[in-house]
Amino acid sequence: MMTDPYKVLGVSPDASDEEIKKAYRKLCMKYHPDANVDNPNKAQAEEKFKEVQQAYEAIMKKDSAAFGNSGGGFGSYQGGYGNSGNGSYGGFGNFGGFGGFGGFGGFGGFNNAQQELPPELKAAANYIRNGYYQEALTALKGVEKKTAAWYYYSALANRGLGNNVTAKDHAEQAYRMEPHNFIYQNLYQQCQNGNTWYQTQSQPYRTARMGCNNVCLDSCLLTLACNLCCCGGGNYCCGRNY
Amino acid sequence: MFGYIVIHKSELKIKDFEAYNAFYCGLCKTLKKRHGISGQATLNYDLTMVVLLLTGLYEPEISWGKTRCLAHPLGNHTTAVNVFSAYCADMNVLLADEKLKDDVADEKKLSAPLSHLILNRKARKVRALYPEKAAVITASLQELAAAEERGETNLDLVSGCFGKVLATVCCYKDDVWQEELNRFGFFLGKFIYLLDAYDDLSHDLKKGCYNPLIPLKDHEDFEERVYRILEMMMSEAARAFEILPIVTYSEILRNILYGGVWLKYFAKREKDQKTDDD
């Protein structure tokens, strides 16, 4: 995208997320196809609408690479569901790459080392680069010796499938096996960035005491009352036992 | 697995609390209208959150009303109803029906076969309305049941099955927000499943039931590990949420996603610590 996305939305580059979202919504309402049915310039309005959408995504998703989670490339859940039929890795759709491997910068440094990689790892790396994470895992399954590189690619592939527990464990394993490898270190760090970000975000919403007494006493009473007047349909509300 | 997506009431502004309750009451009213009393019995706070999420994202027209309520006979209650109340009411019935199917198969609850008979008819109507979603939900829950049956230890795999279910529910339609809604629902679903497992751990250990956290139990840093895993799930869900251009009701949703979802976790920790101290 050539145009400055902030200019497209009419906000300053240091605008808050809230300001960006409000600006986006305002422009969306203005240029939405439904709002421009009688507009003689409706083709331009539609172009503008798409531009606004792209600008919003460019701004809001640009941090995804640093955060270490999905960029683009999310497949439909039907496609993803089909992949999980093999059972061993419950992938779901595609959680995209690292917001583009260029941004991540890791593969650049890796190019020389890649010559020495066994074919399965090279294949996995290529699959991952193109967003075929399930295929990458399949390629990795055939490898007997689990080197640090194996764990690294496994982490990336699992990350792409949304298997973040496994991804973090394998990223950690790669890092522990080769602690001086900056790329492994970086990936392991990225797997923890989300938690740090979440902790900061959470602060305004937590109180010192979040134990039992504050919990759903109201909703428990509500549930009891609901169940008294409903035909014994079972305890679905607030029920720990689903 | 319901009951974790609640508000942290003491941190919520009164006007937000009233709006939240209005949507909850609206969901109840819609359940009764669309699916009768057996539908109404499936009411929960979890899908109220989804109503708010989709309302904030798409900003549909809302019908505000008042109703009387047998469960809360004193005074009138404000109701907020929109297209997503109907959608979540339908999803609720579908999920409850799946749960009952599971109960009947397990022979866990004696009342299950009768309840299932009644709800099943309603659920069949919903399945006809949303065939693709219903198929994904049923298949994911079957996959989950099979995984639990074989004693699956891969946390991503088992929790991911439930993740798929919630992702399907949250992703109302295929549009530009499909990716974020799917990711939001997926990781929130994983969080719920794993928190539920954590909640049930002592019971499952005693009764020899399946629990995916059992293999982790003997690590000395078990509590820390579980907390980090749960936090990782919520961070992904929250990140997806923050990408969505939601302005209206965003504070209620943040109250839930950053605070409310942890209430039962902290309640359990407190309770366990008290038991340890005794």
Side-chain angles (χ1 to χ4, degrees), chain B residues 234-273:
Chain B
M234 280 317 301
S235 70
E236 293 281 350
R239 184 63 193 156
F241 166 76
E242 294 296 350
I243 289 176
L244 296 168
I246 295 176
V247 172
T248 322
Y249 306 127
S250 56
E251 278 312 294
I252 305 178
L253 291 163
R254 287 197 181 97
N255 171 286
I256 295 171
L257 296 175
Y258 295 113
V261 294
W262 294 100
L263 287 177
K264 287 222 175 154
Y265 172 82
F266 286 119
K268 170 126 179 83
R269 290 295 316 260
E270 208 174 271
K271 189 168 150 214
D272 285 350
Q273 261 151 15

Side-chain angles (χ1 to χ4, degrees), chain A residues 40-222:
Chain A
N41 294 323
K42 69 166 154 220
Q44 272 117 307
E46 193 171 332
E47 268 311 303
K48 191 73 188 168
F49 183 69
K50 284 190 199 145
E51 210 188 336
V52 164
Q53 183 66 37
Q54 283 168 356
Y56 182 80
E57 290 184 10
I59 296 172
M60 295 304 286
K61 292 190 191 181
K62 76 162 165 19
D63 288 334
S64 290
F67 186 80
N69 67 4
S70 144
F74 192 113
S76 75
Y77 56 69
Q78 278 126 334
Y81 182 69
N83 281 339
S84 73
N86 73 17
S88 44
Y89 289 88
F92 171 60
N94 239 333
F95 285 84
F98 269 54
F101 290 108
F104 176 62
F107 282 102
F110 238 10
N111 274 339
N112 292 332
Q114 273 204 314
Q115 259 70 314
E116 296 135 27
L117 284 179
E120 292 93 345
L121 294 197
K122 268 201 223 163
N126 279 324
Y127 279 131
I128 290 165
R129 218 188 309 263
N130 293 298
Y132 294 106
Y133 302 109
Q134 194 60 55
E135 287 79 354
L137 283 184
T138 310
L140 289 169
K141 247 198 242 172
V143 179
E144 267 193 46
K145 186 162 182 233
K146 294 189 182 161
T147 56
W150 187 93
Y151 280 106
Y152 171 74
Y153 288 114
S154 177
L156 287 178
N158 275 293
R159 191 69 184 268
L161 289 169
N163 300 332
N164 46 356
V165 177
T166 310
K168 186 172 161 198
D169 284 349
H170 286 195
E172 187 179 359
Q173 186 62 25
Y175 166 64
R176 294 208 186 289
M177 287 171 83
E178 283 184 31
H180 302 294
N181 186 315
F182 169 72
I183 289 169
Y184 300 161
Q185 204 178 84
N186 203 14
L187 177 60
Y188 182 41
Q189 188 58 51
Q190 282 207 13
C191 287
Q192 297 169 87
N193 281 349
N195 289 49
T196 315
W197 172 85
Y198 181 79
Q199 284 156 24
T200 315
Q201 289 281 120
S202 299
Q203 274 161 17
Y205 302 94
R206 304 283 191 99
T207 42
R209 197 173 152 64
M210 287 178 74
C212 219
N213 293 339
N214 290 342
V215 136
C216 44
L217 184 63
D218 294 318
S219 51
C220 287
L221 291 174
L222 209 97

Side-chain angles (χ1 to χ4, degrees), chain B residues 1 5 20 23 28 34 110 151 159 175 178 207 215 217 250:
Chain B
M1 273 179 266
I5 313 299
Y20 178 75
F23 279 98
C28 185
R34 284 172 87 82
L110 293 173
S159 64
D175 62 8
Q178 177 190 359
K207 305 277 176 167
K217 180 75 177 137
S250 56

Side-chain angles (χ1 to χ4, degrees), chain B residues 162-175:
Chain B
F162 193 71
K164 270 182 259 184
V165 171
L166 203 57
T168 308
V169 170
C170 288
C171 183
Y172 177 67
K173 59 181 173 179
D174 290 351
D175 62 8

Side-chain angles (χ1 to χ4, degrees), chain A residues 164-166 168-169 195, chain B residues 155-156 159 187 190-191 194-195 213 216 222-236 262:
Chain A
N164 46 356
V165 177
T166 310
K168 186 172 161 198
D169 284 349
N195 289 49
Chain B
L155 295 181
D156 286 317
S159 64
F187 287 108
K190 287 180 80 172
F191 171 84
L194 291 170
L195 182 49
L213 296 177
L216 287 172
F222 168 73
E223 292 292 342
E224 173 73 16
R225 287 185 93 187
V226 169
Y227 185 75
R228 290 288 160 233
I229 288 171
L230 292 172
E231 194 180 49
M232 195 164 49
M233 298 307 167
M234 280 317 301
S235 70
E236 293 281 350
W262 294 100

